[in-house]
Amino acid sequence: MSLQVVILAAGKGTRMRSSLPKVMQPLASRPLLAHVIAAARRLGAERPIVVYGHGGDVVQQAFAGQALDWVLQAEQKGTGHAVQVALPVLAPAGRTLILYGDVPLISVATLQRLIDAVPDENSLGLLTVHLPDPSGYGRIVRDHGRVVRIVEQKDASDSEKTITECNTGILCVPNRLLHAWLPALKNENAQGEYYLTDLIGMATSHGVPVTAVHPDTVWEVEGVNDKLQLATLERVWQRHQAEQLMRAGVTVLDPARLDVRGEISHGMDVQLDAGVILEGRVVLGDNVRVGAGCILKDCEIGAGTEIKPYSLVDSAVVGGNAQIGPFARLRPGSKLADEVHIGNFVETKATVMGVGAKANHLAYLGDSEIGARVNIGAGTITCNYDGANKHKTVIGDDAFIGTNNSLVAPVSIGAGATTGAGSTISKDVPAGVLAVARAVQKVIEGWQRPRKTPKA
Ligand code: UD1
Ligand code: CA
């Protein structure tokens, strides 16, 4: 049976106290809704349906260009009404999974079990969870063990309020039943809303069996209503990701101080020290060590390389057995070959460095091509910007750039050339020569240092 996914995201999220719509609030640096859409896609839904309301423009813009069907629920009349407005885009047959834009961590494994509980058009799957404190949730009413209906907290009798099996809100229903039953929902309840949960009672009266499925963990079904819950769920998710990395063989020195905000692939014996943040797509080869406080974003680090503490790597590729940092900054377009050494307070941008090239201290290398085994002296700057345009610096293999050079681009320095300390190199340097471009030292005899004027 084919699958459609409806994501309810029309809620205002007043308790966030934010100008950003609730489903746009970030968890692991992606909007809550993005997590839910990703789950829907992993289940095979080609065009997840998003029911939106408040802040719809911002939400739609954020997901522009993605295969999604947007359905406006202008007025919020309840969860049943929200799915009703989506009926025109639901096929006559197949089954539909209902998810929530503010329940971001629901796992694909749990949802697959729920979908599997709906093998035909005469079945219904409901995700329920036992909570020690069920207050606020709809309660699952069973009769002789079978789920017969859901009663909302506000409509529940005192004895129903003692039920601890709760409705997560997530359910899977054959489309045929949605088309037949949703238009018949009534809002005769304590909140005057059209309750999606009334579908369960309807299933019972039509003799359609309801299968209750449970999530593997409670946090999967937790919703986010305010910044405190957002932060709590962020920590839960970070802990979970750290655990997955550790199970996969990564040494995480402090799982409470690692943040993964993207997708990591890694080899064996990778070590991550405290305070590391990994963002976007990060690829770490065997034996990579990442020191304390490093931020690695959209990058590839080769086997055996060490990223020393407090380094930033953004959209860069680093080869194997390299040494980066401490306090290094690799900016977008940096491509460093094997065995490159980048030391403290060195910044690279759109720069290629050959095998074994070194810039160990205090340098800016931008828009440059640096050959193998080149040594960049401390304090060297590629002057890549003339105030209007950017220009390139090219340095041949085995060149030695003296300390505190200004390389005024466009400029090229030949293979094996040497430049003297303090040089301002504004003309090309041929291969193999020594170029010195600095004032000749003068000696001034009899010069006196200024003396302090005595106070009056
Ligand atoms: C709902 C369930 C309850 C369950 C709880 C789990 C119903 C009637 N009740 O209650 O059994 O235990 O979730 O959290 O379904 N939404 C819309 N349009 C609407 C109304 C809601 O899009 O008109 C969205 C909201 O943005 C929210 C979600 O649906 O993401 C749940 O709505 P909410 O009003 O919070 O339902 P609850 O009262 O918590
Ligand atoms: Ca709710």
Short mmCIF file of all heavy atoms in Angstrom, two decimals, residues 135-159:
data_model
loop_
_atom_site.label_atom_id
_atom_site.label_comp_id
_atom_site.label_asym_id
_atom_site.label_seq_id
_atom_site.Cartn_x
_atom_site.Cartn_y
_atom_site.Cartn_z
N SER A 135 -0.54 13.83 32.62
CA SER A 135 -1.45 14.99 32.58
C SER A 135 -1.22 15.81 31.31
O SER A 135 -0.10 16.04 30.89
CB SER A 135 -1.30 15.85 33.83
OG SER A 135 0.04 16.19 34.01
N GLY A 136 -2.34 16.20 30.71
CA GLY A 136 -2.30 16.99 29.48
C GLY A 136 -2.49 16.15 28.23
O GLY A 136 -2.93 16.66 27.21
N TYR A 137 -2.17 14.89 28.32
CA TYR A 137 -2.28 14.02 27.14
C TYR A 137 -3.67 13.40 27.00
O TYR A 137 -4.39 13.24 27.98
CB TYR A 137 -1.26 12.86 27.25
CG TYR A 137 0.16 13.31 27.02
CD1 TYR A 137 0.93 13.78 28.08
CD2 TYR A 137 0.72 13.25 25.76
CE1 TYR A 137 2.25 14.18 27.88
CE2 TYR A 137 2.03 13.66 25.55
CZ TYR A 137 2.79 14.12 26.61
OH TYR A 137 4.07 14.52 26.41
N GLY A 138 -3.98 13.02 25.77
CA GLY A 138 -5.16 12.20 25.55
C GLY A 138 -4.87 10.80 26.10
O GLY A 138 -3.76 10.30 25.95
N ARG A 139 -5.86 10.20 26.77
CA ARG A 139 -5.62 8.87 27.37
C ARG A 139 -6.22 7.78 26.49
O ARG A 139 -7.28 7.95 25.88
CB ARG A 139 -6.27 8.78 28.75
CG ARG A 139 -5.92 9.91 29.68
CD ARG A 139 -4.44 9.94 30.04
NE ARG A 139 -4.30 10.50 31.39
CZ ARG A 139 -4.46 11.78 31.68
NH1 ARG A 139 -4.75 12.64 30.72
NH2 ARG A 139 -4.35 12.21 32.92
N ILE A 140 -5.51 6.65 26.49
CA ILE A 140 -5.93 5.51 25.69
C ILE A 140 -6.88 4.65 26.53
O ILE A 140 -6.49 4.10 27.55
CB ILE A 140 -4.71 4.65 25.28
CG1 ILE A 140 -3.63 5.52 24.63
CG2 ILE A 140 -5.13 3.49 24.37
CD1 ILE A 140 -4.04 6.27 23.38
N VAL A 141 -8.12 4.59 26.08
CA VAL A 141 -9.11 3.79 26.80
C VAL A 141 -9.15 2.40 26.16
O VAL A 141 -9.33 2.28 24.94
CB VAL A 141 -10.50 4.44 26.75
CG1 VAL A 141 -11.52 3.59 27.52
CG2 VAL A 141 -10.45 5.87 27.31
N ARG A 142 -8.92 1.39 26.99
CA ARG A 142 -8.93 0.01 26.49
C ARG A 142 -10.11 -0.74 27.11
O ARG A 142 -10.54 -0.44 28.23
CB ARG A 142 -7.62 -0.71 26.83
CG ARG A 142 -6.42 -0.21 26.02
CD ARG A 142 -5.15 -0.95 26.43
NE ARG A 142 -3.98 -0.50 25.71
CZ ARG A 142 -3.44 -1.13 24.66
NH1 ARG A 142 -3.97 -2.27 24.21
NH2 ARG A 142 -2.36 -0.66 24.07
N ASP A 143 -10.59 -1.73 26.38
CA ASP A 143 -11.64 -2.60 26.88
C ASP A 143 -11.19 -4.02 26.61
O ASP A 143 -10.94 -4.37 25.44
CB ASP A 143 -12.95 -2.28 26.13
CG ASP A 143 -14.11 -3.13 26.64
OD1 ASP A 143 -13.98 -3.70 27.76
OD2 ASP A 143 -15.11 -3.23 25.92
N HIS A 144 -11.04 -4.81 27.68
CA HIS A 144 -10.51 -6.17 27.54
C HIS A 144 -9.20 -6.14 26.76
O HIS A 144 -8.97 -6.95 25.87
CB HIS A 144 -11.52 -7.12 26.89
CG HIS A 144 -12.75 -7.32 27.74
ND1 HIS A 144 -13.85 -6.50 27.65
CD2 HIS A 144 -13.01 -8.23 28.70
CE1 HIS A 144 -14.75 -6.89 28.53
NE2 HIS A 144 -14.27 -7.95 29.19
N GLY A 145 -8.38 -5.13 27.06
CA GLY A 145 -7.06 -5.05 26.42
C GLY A 145 -7.05 -4.38 25.06
O GLY A 145 -5.99 -4.04 24.55
N ARG A 146 -8.20 -4.19 24.46
CA ARG A 146 -8.21 -3.60 23.11
C ARG A 146 -8.46 -2.10 23.16
O ARG A 146 -9.31 -1.64 23.92
CB ARG A 146 -9.28 -4.28 22.25
CG ARG A 146 -8.97 -5.75 22.03
CD ARG A 146 -10.14 -6.48 21.48
NE ARG A 146 -10.34 -6.16 20.06
CZ ARG A 146 -11.10 -6.90 19.27
NH1 ARG A 146 -11.76 -7.94 19.73
NH2 ARG A 146 -11.22 -6.57 18.00
N VAL A 147 -7.72 -1.36 22.35
CA VAL A 147 -7.89 0.09 22.29
C VAL A 147 -9.27 0.39 21.71
O VAL A 147 -9.61 -0.08 20.62
CB VAL A 147 -6.81 0.73 21.39
CG1 VAL A 147 -7.05 2.23 21.24
CG2 VAL A 147 -5.42 0.47 21.95
N VAL A 148 -10.09 1.15 22.45
CA VAL A 148 -11.43 1.44 21.94
C VAL A 148 -11.67 2.92 21.63
O VAL A 148 -12.43 3.26 20.73
CB VAL A 148 -12.56 0.92 22.87
CG1 VAL A 148 -12.57 -0.61 22.86
CG2 VAL A 148 -12.41 1.46 24.29
N ARG A 149 -11.01 3.80 22.37
CA ARG A 149 -11.15 5.23 22.07
C ARG A 149 -10.07 6.01 22.79
O ARG A 149 -9.32 5.47 23.62
CB ARG A 149 -12.55 5.75 22.45
CG ARG A 149 -12.86 5.70 23.91
CD ARG A 149 -14.34 6.04 24.19
NE ARG A 149 -14.59 5.83 25.61
CZ ARG A 149 -14.48 6.79 26.53
NH1 ARG A 149 -14.14 8.02 26.17
NH2 ARG A 149 -14.69 6.54 27.80
N ILE A 150 -10.00 7.32 22.47
CA ILE A 150 -9.08 8.21 23.17
C ILE A 150 -9.91 9.29 23.82
O ILE A 150 -10.84 9.83 23.21
CB ILE A 150 -8.07 8.86 22.20
CG1 ILE A 150 -7.21 7.79 21.52
CG2 ILE A 150 -7.18 9.88 22.93
CD1 ILE A 150 -6.24 8.34 20.49
N VAL A 151 -9.61 9.58 25.07
CA VAL A 151 -10.31 10.68 25.73
C VAL A 151 -9.28 11.76 26.08
O VAL A 151 -8.21 11.48 26.62
CB VAL A 151 -11.12 10.19 26.96
CG1 VAL A 151 -10.22 9.56 28.02
CG2 VAL A 151 -11.93 11.35 27.56
N GLU A 152 -9.58 13.00 25.68
CA GLU A 152 -8.69 14.12 25.98
C GLU A 152 -8.74 14.44 27.46
O GLU A 152 -9.77 14.25 28.12
CB GLU A 152 -9.09 15.34 25.14
CG GLU A 152 -8.83 15.19 23.66
CD GLU A 152 -7.38 14.89 23.34
OE1 GLU A 152 -6.51 15.73 23.66
OE2 GLU A 152 -7.08 13.81 22.80
N GLN A 153 -7.62 14.95 27.98
CA GLN A 153 -7.54 15.33 29.39
C GLN A 153 -8.77 16.14 29.83
O GLN A 153 -9.39 15.86 30.85
CB GLN A 153 -6.26 16.17 29.59
CG GLN A 153 -6.18 16.96 30.87
CD GLN A 153 -5.50 16.21 32.00
OE1 GLN A 153 -4.79 15.22 31.77
NE2 GLN A 153 -5.72 16.65 33.23
N LYS A 154 -9.12 17.13 29.00
CA LYS A 154 -10.20 18.05 29.39
C LYS A 154 -11.58 17.41 29.37
O LYS A 154 -12.54 17.97 29.92
CB LYS A 154 -10.20 19.30 28.49
CG LYS A 154 -9.04 20.22 28.84
CD LYS A 154 -9.00 21.47 27.98
CE LYS A 154 -7.81 22.35 28.38
NZ LYS A 154 -7.30 23.13 27.27
N ASP A 155 -11.69 16.26 28.69
CA ASP A 155 -12.98 15.57 28.62
C ASP A 155 -13.01 14.34 29.52
O ASP A 155 -14.04 13.66 29.58
CB ASP A 155 -13.27 15.14 27.17
CG ASP A 155 -13.26 16.33 26.20
OD1 ASP A 155 -14.15 17.19 26.31
OD2 ASP A 155 -12.35 16.39 25.35
N ALA A 156 -11.88 14.05 30.17
CA ALA A 156 -11.75 12.76 30.87
C ALA A 156 -12.43 12.78 32.24
O ALA A 156 -12.45 13.81 32.93
CB ALA A 156 -10.27 12.42 31.03
N SER A 157 -12.98 11.63 32.60
CA SER A 157 -13.53 11.47 33.95
C SER A 157 -12.35 11.25 34.91
O SER A 157 -11.23 11.01 34.47
CB SER A 157 -14.44 10.25 33.98
OG SER A 157 -13.66 9.08 33.78
N ASP A 158 -12.62 11.32 36.20
CA ASP A 158 -11.55 11.13 37.18
C ASP A 158 -10.87 9.78 37.01
O ASP A 158 -9.65 9.68 37.12
CB ASP A 158 -12.11 11.27 38.60
CG ASP A 158 -12.35 12.75 38.94
OD1 ASP A 158 -11.82 13.62 38.19
OD2 ASP A 158 -13.07 13.03 39.93
N SER A 159 -11.66 8.75 36.73
CA SER A 159 -11.03 7.43 36.59
C SER A 159 -10.23 7.35 35.29
O SER A 159 -9.16 6.75 35.24
CB SER A 159 -12.06 6.31 36.70
OG SER A 159 -12.85 6.25 35.53
#
